[in-house]
Amino acid sequence: MTQQQGPIKVMVVDDHPMWRDAVARDLAESGFEVVATAGDGEQAVRRARAAAPDVLVLDLNLPAKPGVQVCKELVGADPKLRVLVLSASGEHADVLEAVKSGATGYLLKSASTGELLDAVRRTAVGDPVFTPGLAGLVLGEYRRLAAEPGPAADTDAPDAPRLTDRETEVLRLVAKGLSYKQIAERLVISHRTVQNHVQNTLGKLQLHNRVELVRYAIERGLDEE
């Protein structure tokens, strides 16, 4: 995976014009390239496909089409898209629904501007970003999902993908809920190297995002010591 060239491209989706404009302005003033904004779900899907942002900052409560549906459609069509939900709701059901629909992170609107900017930067490189207190909830949901029967890759097949020792090591730490930064520190490698291992693993296993990756790891007991 090559180093990103130029500013991170961001799109802001919120049905409150003043809030949407304020977030877009803060992002633009901090060096992000705001490629589009939208005020409802249908518009969001249409404009995101045309503008191809790196990060979608998405409110869940949207007219025309709910945010989780927007997320599901866009991430389904382009798994490289990162979605940071920015919501007034801290309801656990909303958080879990967003993660299952493909969101990389979830931030409450009570976050400071600095926290938002940091969250967008981290989301752009694939780090999961959650308002404090929600990360444990999400990891618990990953475990619950993993316990449910689901379409699992047939790893017993002779042509099952082979992961390197380092890829398996990174996968194990991802399953434990560590951020890419924490994994990099623990393994004494760069953040970029961790990202590359995760991307290679996703490709080999034909998975689309971190949720599927964690589920795969937990199904195989990789989160256990």
Short mmCIF file of all heavy atoms in Angstrom, two decimals, residues 164-193:
data_model
loop_
_atom_site.label_atom_id
_atom_site.label_comp_id
_atom_site.label_asym_id
_atom_site.label_seq_id
_atom_site.Cartn_x
_atom_site.Cartn_y
_atom_site.Cartn_z
N THR A 164 1.60 -15.44 6.82
CA THR A 164 2.95 -15.50 7.39
C THR A 164 2.84 -15.43 8.92
O THR A 164 1.79 -15.07 9.46
CB THR A 164 3.82 -14.32 6.90
OG1 THR A 164 3.25 -13.11 7.44
CG2 THR A 164 3.86 -14.23 5.39
N ASP A 165 3.92 -15.78 9.59
CA ASP A 165 3.92 -15.72 11.07
C ASP A 165 3.60 -14.31 11.54
O ASP A 165 2.85 -14.11 12.50
CB ASP A 165 5.28 -16.15 11.62
CG ASP A 165 5.50 -17.65 11.45
OD1 ASP A 165 4.52 -18.36 11.14
OD2 ASP A 165 6.65 -18.10 11.60
N ARG A 166 4.18 -13.32 10.87
CA ARG A 166 3.97 -11.94 11.29
C ARG A 166 2.52 -11.51 11.04
O ARG A 166 1.91 -10.81 11.85
CB ARG A 166 4.97 -11.00 10.57
CG ARG A 166 4.91 -9.51 10.94
CD ARG A 166 4.79 -9.22 12.41
NE ARG A 166 5.90 -9.60 13.25
CZ ARG A 166 6.93 -8.82 13.55
NH1 ARG A 166 7.04 -7.62 13.05
NH2 ARG A 166 7.87 -9.25 14.37
N GLU A 167 1.96 -11.93 9.90
CA GLU A 167 0.55 -11.60 9.61
C GLU A 167 -0.36 -12.21 10.68
O GLU A 167 -1.31 -11.58 11.14
CB GLU A 167 0.16 -12.11 8.22
CG GLU A 167 0.70 -11.24 7.09
CD GLU A 167 0.59 -11.90 5.72
OE1 GLU A 167 0.22 -13.09 5.65
OE2 GLU A 167 0.90 -11.24 4.72
N THR A 168 -0.07 -13.45 11.07
CA THR A 168 -0.87 -14.12 12.11
C THR A 168 -0.74 -13.39 13.44
O THR A 168 -1.72 -13.21 14.17
CB THR A 168 -0.42 -15.59 12.27
OG1 THR A 168 -0.54 -16.24 10.99
CG2 THR A 168 -1.27 -16.32 13.29
N GLU A 169 0.48 -12.93 13.73
CA GLU A 169 0.75 -12.20 14.97
C GLU A 169 -0.05 -10.89 15.00
O GLU A 169 -0.68 -10.55 16.00
CB GLU A 169 2.25 -11.89 15.02
CG GLU A 169 2.79 -11.58 16.38
CD GLU A 169 4.32 -11.50 16.36
OE1 GLU A 169 4.93 -11.49 15.26
OE2 GLU A 169 4.89 -11.41 17.45
N VAL A 170 -0.04 -10.17 13.88
CA VAL A 170 -0.79 -8.92 13.79
C VAL A 170 -2.29 -9.20 13.91
O VAL A 170 -3.02 -8.50 14.62
CB VAL A 170 -0.48 -8.18 12.45
CG1 VAL A 170 -1.46 -7.03 12.23
CG2 VAL A 170 0.97 -7.66 12.46
N LEU A 171 -2.75 -10.25 13.24
CA LEU A 171 -4.17 -10.62 13.28
C LEU A 171 -4.60 -10.93 14.71
O LEU A 171 -5.69 -10.53 15.14
CB LEU A 171 -4.40 -11.83 12.36
CG LEU A 171 -5.83 -12.37 12.24
CD1 LEU A 171 -6.79 -11.27 11.79
CD2 LEU A 171 -5.88 -13.53 11.28
N ARG A 172 -3.74 -11.62 15.44
CA ARG A 172 -4.05 -11.98 16.83
C ARG A 172 -4.24 -10.71 17.67
O ARG A 172 -5.15 -10.61 18.49
CB ARG A 172 -2.92 -12.84 17.40
CG ARG A 172 -3.15 -13.28 18.82
CD ARG A 172 -2.09 -14.26 19.29
NE ARG A 172 -2.35 -15.61 18.78
CZ ARG A 172 -1.53 -16.30 18.02
NH1 ARG A 172 -0.39 -15.79 17.64
NH2 ARG A 172 -1.84 -17.50 17.64
N LEU A 173 -3.38 -9.71 17.46
CA LEU A 173 -3.47 -8.46 18.23
C LEU A 173 -4.68 -7.62 17.81
O LEU A 173 -5.31 -6.96 18.63
CB LEU A 173 -2.17 -7.66 18.09
CG LEU A 173 -0.93 -8.36 18.68
CD1 LEU A 173 0.33 -7.57 18.40
CD2 LEU A 173 -1.10 -8.57 20.18
N VAL A 174 -5.01 -7.68 16.52
CA VAL A 174 -6.23 -6.99 16.05
C VAL A 174 -7.45 -7.59 16.75
O VAL A 174 -8.34 -6.88 17.21
CB VAL A 174 -6.38 -7.13 14.51
CG1 VAL A 174 -7.77 -6.70 14.06
CG2 VAL A 174 -5.33 -6.28 13.78
N ALA A 175 -7.46 -8.91 16.87
CA ALA A 175 -8.59 -9.60 17.51
C ALA A 175 -8.71 -9.27 18.99
O ALA A 175 -9.79 -9.34 19.57
CB ALA A 175 -8.44 -11.12 17.33
N LYS A 176 -7.60 -8.89 19.59
CA LYS A 176 -7.63 -8.51 21.01
C LYS A 176 -8.11 -7.07 21.19
O LYS A 176 -8.25 -6.60 22.32
CB LYS A 176 -6.23 -8.66 21.62
CG LYS A 176 -5.80 -10.10 21.84
CD LYS A 176 -4.38 -10.14 22.38
CE LYS A 176 -3.89 -11.56 22.56
NZ LYS A 176 -4.58 -12.27 23.64
N GLY A 177 -8.33 -6.37 20.06
CA GLY A 177 -8.87 -5.01 20.16
C GLY A 177 -7.81 -3.92 20.19
O GLY A 177 -8.11 -2.77 20.45
N LEU A 178 -6.55 -4.28 19.90
CA LEU A 178 -5.49 -3.25 19.90
C LEU A 178 -5.59 -2.39 18.65
O LEU A 178 -5.96 -2.86 17.58
CB LEU A 178 -4.11 -3.90 19.95
CG LEU A 178 -3.54 -4.23 21.34
CD1 LEU A 178 -4.38 -5.30 22.01
CD2 LEU A 178 -2.09 -4.66 21.25
N SER A 179 -5.26 -1.12 18.80
CA SER A 179 -5.22 -0.22 17.64
C SER A 179 -3.93 -0.50 16.86
O SER A 179 -3.00 -1.14 17.37
CB SER A 179 -5.21 1.24 18.11
OG SER A 179 -3.96 1.56 18.69
N TYR A 180 -3.87 -0.01 15.62
CA TYR A 180 -2.66 -0.21 14.81
C TYR A 180 -1.45 0.40 15.50
O TYR A 180 -0.34 -0.14 15.45
CB TYR A 180 -2.85 0.40 13.42
CG TYR A 180 -3.88 -0.30 12.56
CD1 TYR A 180 -4.27 0.23 11.34
CD2 TYR A 180 -4.48 -1.50 12.97
CE1 TYR A 180 -5.23 -0.41 10.55
CE2 TYR A 180 -5.42 -2.14 12.19
CZ TYR A 180 -5.80 -1.59 10.97
OH TYR A 180 -6.73 -2.22 10.21
N LYS A 181 -1.64 1.54 16.15
CA LYS A 181 -0.54 2.21 16.85
C LYS A 181 -0.02 1.31 17.99
O LYS A 181 1.20 1.15 18.16
CB LYS A 181 -1.03 3.55 17.41
CG LYS A 181 0.02 4.37 18.12
CD LYS A 181 -0.53 5.78 18.40
CE LYS A 181 0.50 6.66 19.09
NZ LYS A 181 0.64 6.33 20.52
N GLN A 182 -0.94 0.72 18.75
CA GLN A 182 -0.53 -0.16 19.85
C GLN A 182 0.18 -1.41 19.33
O GLN A 182 1.15 -1.87 19.92
CB GLN A 182 -1.76 -0.58 20.67
CG GLN A 182 -2.37 0.57 21.48
CD GLN A 182 -3.73 0.20 22.06
OE1 GLN A 182 -4.54 -0.45 21.39
NE2 GLN A 182 -3.99 0.60 23.29
N ILE A 183 -0.32 -1.93 18.20
CA ILE A 183 0.31 -3.12 17.60
C ILE A 183 1.73 -2.77 17.14
O ILE A 183 2.68 -3.53 17.38
CB ILE A 183 -0.53 -3.65 16.41
CG1 ILE A 183 -1.88 -4.18 16.91
CG2 ILE A 183 0.22 -4.76 15.68
CD1 ILE A 183 -2.87 -4.52 15.81
N ALA A 184 1.87 -1.61 16.52
CA ALA A 184 3.19 -1.17 16.04
C ALA A 184 4.17 -1.07 17.21
O ALA A 184 5.32 -1.51 17.11
CB ALA A 184 3.06 0.17 15.32
N GLU A 185 3.71 -0.48 18.32
CA GLU A 185 4.58 -0.33 19.49
C GLU A 185 4.96 -1.69 20.07
O GLU A 185 6.10 -1.93 20.43
CB GLU A 185 3.88 0.53 20.55
CG GLU A 185 3.83 2.01 20.17
CD GLU A 185 2.89 2.82 21.06
OE1 GLU A 185 2.26 2.23 21.97
OE2 GLU A 185 2.79 4.04 20.82
N ARG A 186 3.98 -2.58 20.15
CA ARG A 186 4.24 -3.89 20.75
C ARG A 186 5.22 -4.70 19.91
O ARG A 186 6.08 -5.40 20.45
CB ARG A 186 2.93 -4.65 20.94
CG ARG A 186 3.16 -6.02 21.59
CD ARG A 186 1.89 -6.71 22.00
NE ARG A 186 1.16 -5.99 23.02
CZ ARG A 186 0.19 -6.53 23.75
NH1 ARG A 186 -0.13 -7.81 23.56
NH2 ARG A 186 -0.46 -5.84 24.66
N LEU A 187 5.08 -4.65 18.59
CA LEU A 187 5.92 -5.47 17.72
C LEU A 187 7.17 -4.73 17.26
O LEU A 187 7.98 -5.27 16.50
CB LEU A 187 5.11 -5.93 16.49
CG LEU A 187 3.87 -6.80 16.79
CD1 LEU A 187 3.19 -7.20 15.49
CD2 LEU A 187 4.26 -8.04 17.60
N VAL A 188 7.30 -3.48 17.69
CA VAL A 188 8.44 -2.62 17.31
C VAL A 188 8.58 -2.55 15.79
O VAL A 188 9.63 -2.83 15.21
CB VAL A 188 9.77 -3.08 17.97
CG1 VAL A 188 10.79 -1.96 17.97
CG2 VAL A 188 9.54 -3.56 19.40
N ILE A 189 7.46 -2.23 15.15
CA ILE A 189 7.46 -2.00 13.71
C ILE A 189 6.69 -0.70 13.46
O ILE A 189 6.08 -0.15 14.38
CB ILE A 189 6.82 -3.17 12.92
CG1 ILE A 189 5.39 -3.45 13.43
CG2 ILE A 189 7.68 -4.41 13.01
CD1 ILE A 189 4.66 -4.59 12.71
N SER A 190 6.71 -0.21 12.23
CA SER A 190 6.04 1.07 11.95
C SER A 190 4.53 0.86 11.80
O SER A 190 4.06 -0.24 11.48
CB SER A 190 6.59 1.69 10.68
OG SER A 190 6.14 0.99 9.54
N HIS A 191 3.80 1.94 12.02
CA HIS A 191 2.34 1.96 11.83
C HIS A 191 2.01 1.52 10.41
O HIS A 191 1.09 0.74 10.17
CB HIS A 191 1.87 3.40 12.09
CG HIS A 191 0.38 3.56 12.12
ND1 HIS A 191 -0.39 3.51 10.99
CD2 HIS A 191 -0.48 3.76 13.16
CE1 HIS A 191 -1.66 3.69 11.32
NE2 HIS A 191 -1.74 3.84 12.63
N ARG A 192 2.80 2.01 9.45
CA ARG A 192 2.58 1.69 8.03
C ARG A 192 2.74 0.19 7.78
O ARG A 192 1.99 -0.41 7.01
CB ARG A 192 3.58 2.50 7.18
CG ARG A 192 3.63 2.16 5.71
CD ARG A 192 2.36 2.50 4.99
NE ARG A 192 1.96 3.89 5.14
CZ ARG A 192 0.83 4.38 4.65
NH1 ARG A 192 0.00 3.60 3.99
NH2 ARG A 192 0.51 5.64 4.83
N THR A 193 3.73 -0.42 8.44
CA THR A 193 3.96 -1.86 8.27
C THR A 193 2.77 -2.67 8.80
O THR A 193 2.34 -3.65 8.19
CB THR A 193 5.26 -2.29 8.99
OG1 THR A 193 6.34 -1.52 8.46
CG2 THR A 193 5.56 -3.76 8.78
#
